[in-house]
Amino acid sequence: MLDSAQEVLQLQSRGEATAVEITTSAIDRIDATQESINAFTHVDRELALSTAEAVDKKRRNAEPLGPLAGVPVAVKDVLCTRDMPTTCSSNMLRNFRPPYDASVVEKLREADAIIIGKTNMDEFAMGASTETSAFGNTRNPWDLSRTPGGSSGGATACVAAGTVPLSLGTDTGGSIRQPAGFCGVTGLKPTYGRVSRYGLVAFASSLDQVGPIGWSVQDVALLLQSIAGYEPRDSTSLNHAVPDYQSALQSSDLRGMKIGVLREALDVDGVDEAVRQAVLSSIDVFRQAGAEIIEVSLPHSKYWVPTYYVIAPSEASSNLSRYDGAHYGHRATTLDPEKAESLGPLVATYCQSRAEGFGAEVKRRIMVGTYALSEGYADQYYNQALKARRLIKGDYDAAFSQVDLLLGPVSPTPAFPLGEKVDDPLQMYLCDLFTVGANLAGIPAISLPAGKDAQGLPLAIQLQAPALEETRLLFAGAAYQATTDFHKLRPDTFGS
Amino acid sequence: MTLSDGYPTETIIGLEVHVQLRTQTKLFCSCSTRFGAPPNTQVCPVCLGLPGALPVMNEHAIDLAIRAGLAIDCSIPPMTKWDRKQYFYPDLPKGYQISQFDLPICADGFLDITNEAEPETPRRIGIIRAHLEEDAGKSMHDEAAGRNDSRIDLNRCGTPLLEIVSHPDLRSAKEAKEYLSELKLRMTHLGVSDCEMQEGSLRVDANVNLHIDVDGKKIATPIAEIKNMNSFRAVEHAIEHEVDRQYDVWEETGKTIKDEAKTTRGWDDTKGKTFLQREKEESADYRYFPDPDLLPIRIPQDRVDEAKANLGELPAELCQRLQTQYGIKLYDANVIVNQGRELIEYFETAATKSGDGKRTSSWIQQDVMRTLNENQLGIEDFAVSAAQLGDLLERVSRGDLDNARARDVFSHLLKTDHSVEDAIKSLGIESVDSGDIEVLCRELLDANPQVIDDVKSGKQQAVGALIGQAKKKNANANPKQVRETLLQLIAQS
Ligand SMILES: [Zn+2]
């Protein structure tokens, strides 16, 4: 099992393994786990091996190699790839092949990474369990009866199952951090605008962000280094230089750092006791590393979920309008004659194509968003949510004037059983209780493995930092991992 | 306006005009905006609305919109933004149009219009706003070919448009046309738009209704929005027709604005009629909201100031200056200004060189423009430069050449790259010595003694025949000089 990108790089530079050997082993591992985990929607052995051969050839010829040379990387199936399908785990795009690469995919190729395949997700990234996928749910490698979380469930499960050391996920309301927590891996949501969204199929444009997933902070930093940066094709991309993230990881001395603990996150009802304990014991770890711990409050945090569940569906309802069966994607072939008669063929085609192409959760969010943006309701819902969002940002600004980082849980509970919440959207939405704040405020946040509960399920803590302070997250995260071994735990069933 | 057989009626018209901005590339991607390319050849993931593609604003479109706004006396607010206007249609691949809702780039302007009969008394037409938006594609329903499918051309998708919305200040079809002419003049003059209705770079929707005065009580008829008009003449006709139609319907049904929501009517140019397109403007809910893919646009005052400084003269100011500076009439100044910047420059260069604005204006309007039209040329491709024309006309003014010989030279210049001097030489034109003229005139008078008698008995025009003969004998003889010499000789005889 090759579960560290750093190790994969070293094996190759020491001449102990070739990119082809590493890629072959990754694909063998995928083949062995796909049936039970279902982390991938698409794997292309030939393509991956030919890329790996090219990398080996470069190495033989002593040509310059990218920072991810020969490292197998999985890509969430919401990022466009010109040589693989991009389905968003939806029947709507089941056969869609984009004519272009997402910006981050281009960057992976430039870094000489081996793009091994596309990972399963909640349909159009809407969900917290990977159960809304049109390709069947992904299972948690730590307990196959449980969800890996979502929406980037495939992206975290494939790392946890030891198929690839790195993967790219996307995070709109916690979709990297929550499944990373459920799968016991490290996942980072960068600052909004730090990573280009060009080629990321939009769910909620003002919240979506691409981010890295790996076992360790070191690996996550390595992948972030390759994908971060300004890109003119994304107007919301931030034109700031990218720091050297690795150099931030040299020290684990947190003296002088102030870490705020979120009072609300520990007091709120419905937080699992093991989750609470994980956060409390992490406080000791940080304190021992030299950090000063301060209790802080984000007074509007109770509005996070309601605000998020107005803004995200509103934007989604608009972003998903393009899937109408007219230009690409699923188109209804035989129209219900009654509907064709009453609506006319055009509208009937729209209605039926969308009815067939989208799953229930996507439809629910389109309806909610359409309603929230409607004339007469927009002021009550969408515009009101924008106001709340400004207050939420204000809370963070105030908190970050006192502390350098915020510490809290990722999710209220560890991974829950498959099927438990799939018919109860409100319960499902509460999974995002602690994660959506960072998306609403556009700030970076990281999910770090923090042990196991009594049932052997991974626990996690979350750190949040001010905009563009990824370095601070990585620094503190690496310090945490320098003194804990939680990120080294592996699921029994899939241990090497 | 008063209908001869009815109540006094006032026509209320507001116009929504879309002008396509003259950018090389589309509003949010780098695809070309060239007109007439084969279907779907000027498209990319962005304008096709493919999943994951993102818009990037074209700064040049902002500059043109600011320029356009200043030309119609709009204010340019310091902040403007993009909104999504959402509806489903096959020519709209994203399911929304990127437009501007509550913070348009230009607000609150006006346009002064004049009619030919009273050029000195302009009317001020208010402009509510002008906002930027992307164009949609084109659906083609080819039923004639026996197909029941539709074809979609997305080349036009994403082309930058500026929608200019007037107040309902226009009072007649003629005024509407005057407004459009003035608007087009300014937009083309400033290089903001080509304003070619045939190519769709200028499109007009007219909101029309009537205020009927029934014994001192004002009754408003339901508003109709007229679409599909493809020329200024069509706009004029459609409004005229709609005015009559609304009056007739009102007489028949008595329906007022309170009884019927706004309807949409198309214009059928061949039938000369408007026809109902959409029954009730079902209060379409476009669910506008700020486009999260695009940042708000801040337009600092110095950018507006700079645009203002670079705006140059507006057509009306230019007309005024041409009249005073070159001594030409308002009508002629208008004709020249209407031809656009290049021709205005051409005129000014030629008129300055020739020292005779009137003569230059008349030559440009006749000889130059006729040749351009015949050969479908623009002035920038014209064989005779402004300096050459000025040189030529200067010689005419000096009396070196008569108009007829000047035309010969002009034709020669069209075909060669000679200078005026060389052209005159190669045509064998030389000024004739006054002694030679006198000899010639004497010969003619000797041969035609009748003319002497006629002139002496008061018929001066009798010399005309001899001038013609003189030209035949010596093509270079200046008719003016011949005439003077003849009259002198007759007086002496
Ligand atoms: Zn394009």
Side-chain angles (χ1 to χ4, degrees):
Chain A
M1 186 163 113
L2 297 165
D3 57 12
S4 155
Q6 321 274 346
E7 195 186 326
V8 164
L9 289 170
Q10 283 161 15
L11 283 174
Q12 292 177 89
S13 59
R14 289 200 301 258
E16 289 166 23
T18 63
V20 167
E21 283 163 1
I22 288 159
T23 304
T24 305
S25 118
I27 292 171
D28 289 348
R29 181 97 185 143
I30 292 171
D31 287 347
T33 57
Q34 177 62 9
E35 206 185 316
S36 53
I37 306 286
N38 193 31
F40 286 86
T41 54
H42 182 86
V43 178
D44 195 326
R45 178 185 279 265
E46 295 301 313
L47 197 63
L49 285 174
S50 75
T51 313
E53 273 165 30
V55 169
D56 286 336
K57 194 173 159 203
K58 272 192 190 180
R59 192 180 297 277
R60 280 197 303 275
N61 297 343
E63 287 173 45
L65 286 163
L68 296 174
V71 179
V73 181
V75 173
K76 187 178 178 181
D77 207 12
V78 72
L79 294 164
C80 287
T81 41
R82 61 176 151 67
D83 49 9
M84 295 179 194
T86 300
T87 68
C88 298
S89 288
S90 176
N91 280 323
M92 186 55 92
L93 293 177
R94 184 175 280 269
N95 299 309
F96 180 67
R97 275 177 187 260
Y100 69 104
D101 276 336
S103 170
V104 287
V105 170
E106 278 179 2
K107 290 186 168 186
L108 287 183
R109 295 191 203 276
E110 283 161 24
D112 288 319
I114 313 295
I115 299 174
I116 209 122
K118 308 295 288 285
T119 58
N120 200 12
M121 55 188 275
D122 281 295
E123 185 179 6
F124 282 103
M126 298 178 191
S129 67
T130 322
E131 288 168 293
T132 69
S133 167
F135 302 109
N137 61 267
T138 299
R139 279 175 288 272
N140 193 320
W142 294 81
D143 178 345
L144 296 179
S145 72
R146 290 180 186 259
T147 171
S151 66
S152 309
T156 55
C158 74
V159 173
T163 62
V164 287
L166 291 174
S167 79
L168 281 183
T170 63
D171 191 315
T172 306
S175 280
I176 288 175
R177 290 160 287 157
Q178 183 255 25
F182 281 13
C183 291
V185 297
T186 300
L188 184 141
K189 179 205 100 72
T191 306
Y192 183 76
R194 176 77 289 184
V195 178
S196 171
R197 290 187 298 119
Y198 191 82
L200 157 61
V201 181
F203 157 19
S205 317
S206 75
L207 303 161
D208 295 342
Q209 192 62 199
V210 186
I213 296 160
W215 281 108
S216 66
V217 167
Q218 261 81 10
D219 275 7
V220 161
L222 177 71
L223 184 49
L224 179 64
Q225 196 77 55
S226 287
I227 60 169
Y230 172 67
E231 210 229 12
R233 287 183 300 179
D234 173 0
S235 309
T236 61
S237 169
L238 297 173
N239 197 352
H240 287 263
V242 180
D244 179 358
Y245 295 122
Q246 295 289 336
S247 72
L249 310 180
Q250 305 309 318
S251 151
S252 52
D253 183 354
L254 296 184
R255 272 177 298 177
M257 184 171 276
K258 290 180 188 165
I259 297 181
V261 177
L262 292 173
R263 180 209 312 261
E264 293 87 354
L266 294 176
D267 291 350
V268 75
D269 284 342
V271 178
D272 188 279
E273 187 50 33
V275 170
R276 192 195 312 269
Q277 286 307 323
V279 175
L280 292 175
S281 44
S282 76
I283 290 175
D284 293 335
V285 175
F286 286 115
R287 200 175 268 140
Q288 260 159 27
E292 183 186 346
I293 304 294
I294 298 168
E295 201 169 84
V296 293
S297 166
L298 299 174
H300 296 94
S301 55
K302 56 180 173 294
Y303 300 119
W304 287 3
V305 169
T307 301
Y308 176 83
Y309 276 98
V310 171
I311 290 176
S314 294
E315 292 181 8
S317 71
S318 175
N319 286 330
L320 272 65
S321 294
R322 69 191 66 200
Y323 309 111
D324 59 6
H327 303 275
Y328 52 81
H330 176 74
R331 183 194 292 188
T333 44
T334 39
L335 292 183
D336 176 343
E338 254 175 57
K339 288 215 172 108
E341 179 68 31
S342 63
L343 300 171
L346 177 64
V347 176
T349 305
Y350 284 157
C351 291
Q352 209 171 313
S353 301
R354 287 168 70 82
E356 293 169 4
F358 290 139
E361 184 57 30
V362 170
K363 285 178 193 162
R364 178 158 36 237
R365 298 203 194 189
I366 290 174
M367 283 190 282
V368 167
T370 303
Y371 182 79
L373 287 175
S374 294
E375 212 174 297
Y377 297 96
D379 277 341
Q380 250 170 295
Y381 296 104
Y382 182 72
N383 295 330
Q384 194 70 12
L386 292 185
K387 282 183 207 160
R389 186 174 187 176
R390 281 193 286 275
L391 294 175
I392 290 163
K393 276 187 187 167
D395 281 359
Y396 274 109
D397 291 342
F400 285 127
S401 70
Q402 296 174 53
V403 297
D404 301 305
L405 292 171
L406 291 172
L407 168 66
V410 179
S411 310
T413 67
F416 49 88
L418 288 161
E420 188 184 83
K421 299 183 182 187
V422 73
D423 295 322
D424 189 349
L426 285 181
Q427 278 307 309
M428 193 70 94
Y429 297 168
L430 286 176
C431 293
D432 304 335
L433 196 58
F434 304 126
T435 46
V436 291
N439 301 83
L440 290 167
I443 59 169
I446 194 167
S447 171
L448 301 165
K452 290 201 281 187
D453 74 354
Q455 298 172 81
L457 298 172
L459 297 166
I461 56 164
Q462 177 178 217
L463 289 172
Q464 303 178 71
L468 292 168
E469 295 295 345
E470 281 80 4
T471 308
R472 208 180 287 171
L473 287 180
L474 295 167
F475 172 46
Y480 181 75
Q481 292 187 345
T483 48
T484 60
D485 283 338
F486 303 133
H487 63 292
K488 293 179 182 158
L489 298 172
R490 296 290 180 267
D492 289 342
T493 33
F494 291 91
S496 54
Chain B
M1 183 182 83
T2 309
L3 296 179
S4 56
D5 57 345
Y7 294 99
T9 300
E10 194 176 23
T11 304
I12 311 294
I13 305 161
L15 295 181
E16 292 169 16
V17 180
H18 285 89
V19 296
Q20 179 185 327
L21 298 178
R22 249 181 85 174
T23 53
Q24 295 294 308
T25 56
K26 294 183 180 181
L27 190 48
F28 299 112
C29 63
S30 54
C31 291
S32 165
T33 54
R34 193 167 58 89
F35 176 78
N40 299 313
T41 54
Q42 293 179 168
V43 291
C44 71
V46 176
C47 55
L48 289 175
L50 291 189
L54 294 171
V56 177
M57 185 183 80
N58 180 341
E59 281 290 341
H60 188 46
I62 302 295
D63 285 331
L64 290 180
I66 293 172
R67 203 171 165 75
L70 293 174
I72 47 178
D73 283 276
C74 283
S75 60
I76 311 295
M79 215 268 286
T80 181
K81 68 179 171 77
W82 299 104
D83 300 283
R84 293 184 181 177
K85 177 181 179 178
Q86 313 192 64
Y87 61 95
F88 285 99
Y89 205 71
D91 64 16
L92 190 70
K94 295 192 297 297
Y96 58 83
Q97 178 191 31
I98 305 177
S99 181
Q100 299 196 288
F101 180 52
D102 52 346
L103 292 174
I105 186 160
C106 312
D108 207 14
F110 61 83
L111 191 65
D112 286 339
I113 59 168
T114 50
N115 73 57
E116 275 168 34
E118 301 164 85
E120 306 303 331
T121 52
R123 272 237 310 128
R124 181 154 290 186
I125 308 302
I127 288 167
I128 300 172
R129 57 184 276 160
H131 67 259
L132 278 163
E133 61 187 26
E134 56 174 349
D135 205 349
K138 223 161 78 182
S139 299
M140 289 161 288
H141 309 282
D142 194 5
E143 279 149 18
R147 313 180 64 100
N148 62 1
D149 58 349
S150 295
R151 288 160 178 248
I152 302 166
D153 176 6
L154 295 176
N155 280 351
R156 222 175 55 185
C157 219
T159 298
L161 301 177
L162 188 72
E163 181 176 345
I164 303 166
V165 184
S166 87
H167 279 285
D169 289 350
L170 296 157
R171 290 292 170 268
S172 68
K174 203 157 165 295
E175 275 195 353
K177 194 179 159 195
E178 284 156 9
Y179 171 89
L180 291 172
S181 307
E182 181 61 29
L183 190 63
K184 172 174 175 171
L185 178 59
R186 293 197 192 185
M187 295 303 145
T188 50
H189 178 76
L190 294 175
V192 164
S193 171
D194 294 330
C195 292
E196 292 288 350
M197 276 191 108
Q198 299 296 333
E199 295 184 359
S201 63
L202 187 147
R203 278 169 256 163
V204 182
D205 299 333
N207 286 287
V208 180
N209 79 333
L210 306 178
H211 288 173
I212 304 171
D213 183 347
V214 181
D215 307 327
K217 217 179 123 212
K218 189 187 85 181
I219 294 170
T221 59
I223 298 173
E225 180 173 351
I226 315 171
K227 291 179 176 288
N228 318 102
M229 300 168 288
N230 59 7
S231 67
F232 286 1
R233 184 198 292 271
V235 173
E236 204 178 1
H237 285 174
I239 294 173
E240 281 166 358
H241 167 269
E242 183 60 19
V243 167
D244 291 347
R245 191 195 66 81
Q246 288 193 13
Y247 192 88
D248 292 348
V249 171
W250 173 74
E251 271 195 323
E252 221 170 277
T253 65
K255 275 190 184 165
T256 73
I257 194 162
K258 287 177 197 139
D259 304 316
E260 199 181 290
K262 184 165 134 182
T263 52
T264 304
R265 301 184 68 84
W267 169 245
D268 185 329
D269 214 20
T270 43
K271 288 191 186 137
K273 281 183 171 174
T274 63
F275 60 92
L276 190 64
Q277 273 187 330
R278 245 179 304 161
E279 186 75 62
K280 243 182 268 155
E281 183 87 351
E282 64 269 357
S283 59
D285 182 359
Y286 292 118
R287 287 175 284 118
Y288 280 102
F289 81 108
D291 192 323
D293 288 331
L294 290 158
L295 303 174
I297 311 155
R298 288 181 206 289
I299 303 178
Q301 189 55 40
D302 53 7
R303 184 167 178 184
V304 178
D305 292 343
E306 196 190 324
K308 223 176 251 174
N310 293 333
L311 202 56
E313 286 166 302
L314 288 176
E317 295 158 7
L318 189 55
C319 259
Q320 191 57 51
R321 182 171 65 78
L322 293 186
Q323 288 171 68
T324 47
Q325 191 172 338
Y326 299 101
I328 59 174
K329 292 210 178 76
L330 173 61
Y331 173 85
D332 297 311
N334 265 324
V335 172
I336 290 167
V337 170
N338 269 311
Q339 298 302 313
R341 257 173 205 277
E342 285 84 0
L343 195 109
I344 298 164
E345 248 168 58
Y346 187 92
F347 165 76
E348 291 207 66
T349 310
T352 306
K353 172 87 179 127
S354 74
D356 187 340
K358 270 186 199 155
R359 190 186 303 279
T360 310
S361 151
S362 105
W363 267 74
I364 286 183
Q365 288 181 58
Q366 290 162 30
D367 303 85
V368 175
M369 278 166 57
R370 193 183 53 230
T371 317
L372 292 177
N373 288 340
E374 278 168 3
N375 300 302
Q376 303 269 311
L377 284 177
I379 190 72
E380 57 281 6
D381 302 318
F382 194 53
V384 182
S385 73
Q388 283 179 307
L389 183 69
D391 183 355
L392 179 63
L393 298 183
E394 188 189 6
R395 290 166 197 263
V396 176
S397 297
R398 272 207 311 259
D400 294 357
L401 286 172
D402 61 67
N403 263 321
R405 292 306 267 157
R407 290 217 158 81
D408 294 340
V409 176
F410 183 75
S411 308
H412 188 82
L413 291 174
L414 282 174
K415 287 173 282 187
T416 63
D417 53 5
H418 286 168
S419 68
V420 174
E421 189 69 41
D422 293 346
I424 289 173
K425 268 191 202 136
S426 73
L427 287 173
I429 301 172
E430 335 172 315
S431 57
V432 185
D433 186 81
S434 61
D436 294 346
I437 297 275
E438 200 176 318
V439 173
L440 179 64
C441 288
R442 274 185 207 286
E443 275 172 27
L444 288 169
L445 286 174
D446 289 347
N448 301 279
Q450 178 63 36
V451 174
I452 302 176
D453 297 341
D454 286 349
V455 171
K456 286 200 161 165
S457 63
K459 288 196 229 161
Q460 285 221 343
Q461 66 270 35
V463 294
L466 297 190
I467 297 171
Q469 288 187 37
K471 284 232 42 112
K472 273 183 201 150
K473 281 179 188 282
N474 184 342
N476 291 324
N478 183 326
K480 198 171 147 207
Q481 204 183 352
V482 170
R483 182 189 169 84
E484 278 162 11
T485 312
L486 283 169
L487 290 175
Q488 223 171 5
L489 290 172
I490 291 168
Q492 287 164 6
S493 68

